Amino acid sequence: MTVTEVPAGGVTISAAAELSGLTVDTLRYYEKEGLSLRRPGRSASGQRRYTEEDVRWLGTLVMLRRTGMPIRDIRRFVDLYRTEGSEAQRLAILEAHREHVLEELNEVQTHLDAINRKITYYKELVNG
Amino acid sequence: MTVTEVPAGGVTISAAAELSGLTVDTLRYYEKEGLSLRRPGRSASGQRRYTEEDVRWLGTLVMLRRTGMPIRDIRRFVDLYRTEGSEAQRLAILEAHREHVLEELNEVQTHLDAINRKITYYKELVNG
DNA sequence: ATTTGACCTGGAGTGCGCTCCAGGGTTCAT
DNA sequence: ATGAACCCTGGAGCGCACTCCAGGTCAAAT
């Protein structure tokens, strides 16, 4: 099932979880924390139904989380998303976040270089 | 003060903290958690004195932590370090960790690409 | 009719990695 | 010799991001 295969009536929370790579619990947690762009609709009996757009938004949340943005900051971003004419601010947040991620990557890369040197050293020690 | 400027008698915990980029509390915490290669020596009055080697080891800890290795795994690594003839196992752990870090970097890079696309989109929206 | 299984809510619990604190001793410049 | 600044220990506390649980509703299959 790909994200484009969301039926008209929307999918259940467990399907949305699978599509997004999150867990059912995490989806409900994110919603509680105000990270949903809009609360997903509900079936007649009160169960969540995620539209394609909802599922795409989950992808955005994953993108931000997995690059290390804290929940608190994502909430600020989402709040802007709900505000008309906030495009410039959203852009600013994304650019600041990108800088942050690049610094992170840089630092990790530096430490990775050190790990590689250590590996080379051990390889010579063990095999050489 | 660089790592090569550690005097013969060793430096205090606060100096070691500055040299390693960790906090005094973290140094004591790591020691408690068994991450010290050897417990640092003590002054006559019982204060820790870090030698140059101690400080270099802190650098190794930082390298592993900042690339995401959990305390628990680092402890296993340190235990091997204290075991003679464990070089092959140490190498294996480092290589496994490198793979893990590379996967991490890859995933973050993928999400970063998505962020960049979003930034481009907003830039056109805002300026264009 | 009842069993199964997915869903619901509110709230408690967990694991991690620190971080802080109380209460006490030591070192050092003035 | 006194006050500020540093160090010690054991243990409590914290922030984060989930994760789990109890107790309940509901729909569909048997």
Side-chain angles (χ1 to χ4, degrees):
Chain A
M1 201 187 213
T2 71
V3 70
T4 56
E5 290 171 34
V6 175
V11 297
T12 64
I13 191 168
S14 61
E18 228 177 295
L19 287 170
S20 61
L22 298 169
T23 70
V24 167
D25 277 318
T26 300
L27 255 48
R28 285 195 279 247
Y29 167 67
Y30 282 0
E31 190 182 325
K32 224 187 273 187
E33 288 296 315
L35 306 193
S36 308
L37 198 48
R38 356 186 177 290
R39 292 311 200 44
R42 300 286 177 133
S43 75
S45 65
Q47 296 188 359
R48 290 170 183 78
R49 287 295 122 92
Y50 291 79
T51 66
E52 194 178 320
E53 194 192 343
D54 292 336
V55 173
R56 265 202 303 272
W57 180 251
L58 293 178
T60 302
L61 294 182
V62 168
M63 167 190 95
L64 294 175
R65 276 299 298 132
R66 295 259 58 218
T67 49
M69 187 182 282
I71 300 287
R72 191 180 342 104
D73 295 6
I74 298 181
R75 183 163 34 230
R76 277 198 278 272
F77 184 68
V78 178
D79 287 345
L80 282 178
Y81 237 94
R82 286 192 277 249
T83 308
E84 295 266 324
S86 65
E87 286 75 13
Q89 284 156 283
R90 296 181 214 168
L91 175 58
I93 286 184
L94 287 176
E95 289 186 318
H97 183 53
R98 172 173 61 184
E99 284 318 296
H100 186 80
V101 174
L102 285 174
E103 279 167 32
E104 266 285 305
L105 284 178
N106 232 282
E107 197 197 330
V108 172
Q109 186 60 58
T110 300
H111 289 305
L112 184 59
D113 292 345
I115 290 172
N116 281 329
R117 281 194 296 277
K118 241 184 165 43
I119 285 177
T120 301
Y121 166 76
Y122 272 112
K123 268 193 172 155
E124 279 174 23
L125 205 70
V126 172
N127 304 324
Chain B
M1 203 185 212
T2 73
V3 71
T4 57
E5 290 173 34
V6 175
V11 297
T12 63
I13 192 168
S14 61
E18 229 176 295
L19 287 170
S20 62
L22 299 168
T23 70
V24 165
D25 277 318
T26 301
L27 254 48
R28 285 195 279 248
Y29 167 68
Y30 282 180
E31 190 182 324
K32 222 186 277 188
E33 289 294 315
L35 306 193
S36 307
L37 198 47
R38 354 185 179 293
R39 293 305 197 52
R42 298 287 176 133
S43 73
S45 65
Q47 295 188 1
R48 291 170 183 77
R49 287 295 121 93
Y50 292 78
T51 66
E52 195 177 318
E53 194 193 344
D54 293 335
V55 173
R56 265 202 302 271
W57 179 251
L58 293 178
T60 302
L61 294 182
V62 168
M63 168 189 95
L64 295 175
R65 277 298 298 131
R66 293 260 60 214
T67 50
M69 187 183 283
I71 301 285
R72 191 181 341 105
D73 296 5
I74 298 181
R75 185 164 32 234
R76 278 198 277 272
F77 184 67
V78 179
D79 287 346
L80 283 178
Y81 237 94
R82 287 192 276 250
T83 309
E84 295 266 324
S86 65
E87 285 75 11
Q89 285 158 282
R90 296 180 215 170
L91 175 59
I93 287 183
L94 287 177
E95 287 186 320
H97 182 53
R98 172 173 60 185
E99 284 319 296
H100 185 81
V101 174
L102 285 173
E103 279 167 32
E104 265 285 304
L105 284 178
N106 231 283
E107 197 198 332
V108 171
Q109 186 61 58
T110 300
H111 289 306
L112 185 59
D113 293 345
I115 290 172
N116 281 328
R117 281 195 295 279
K118 239 182 167 44
I119 285 177
T120 302
Y121 167 76
Y122 272 113
K123 267 192 173 157
E124 278 174 26
L125 205 70
V126 173
N127 302 324

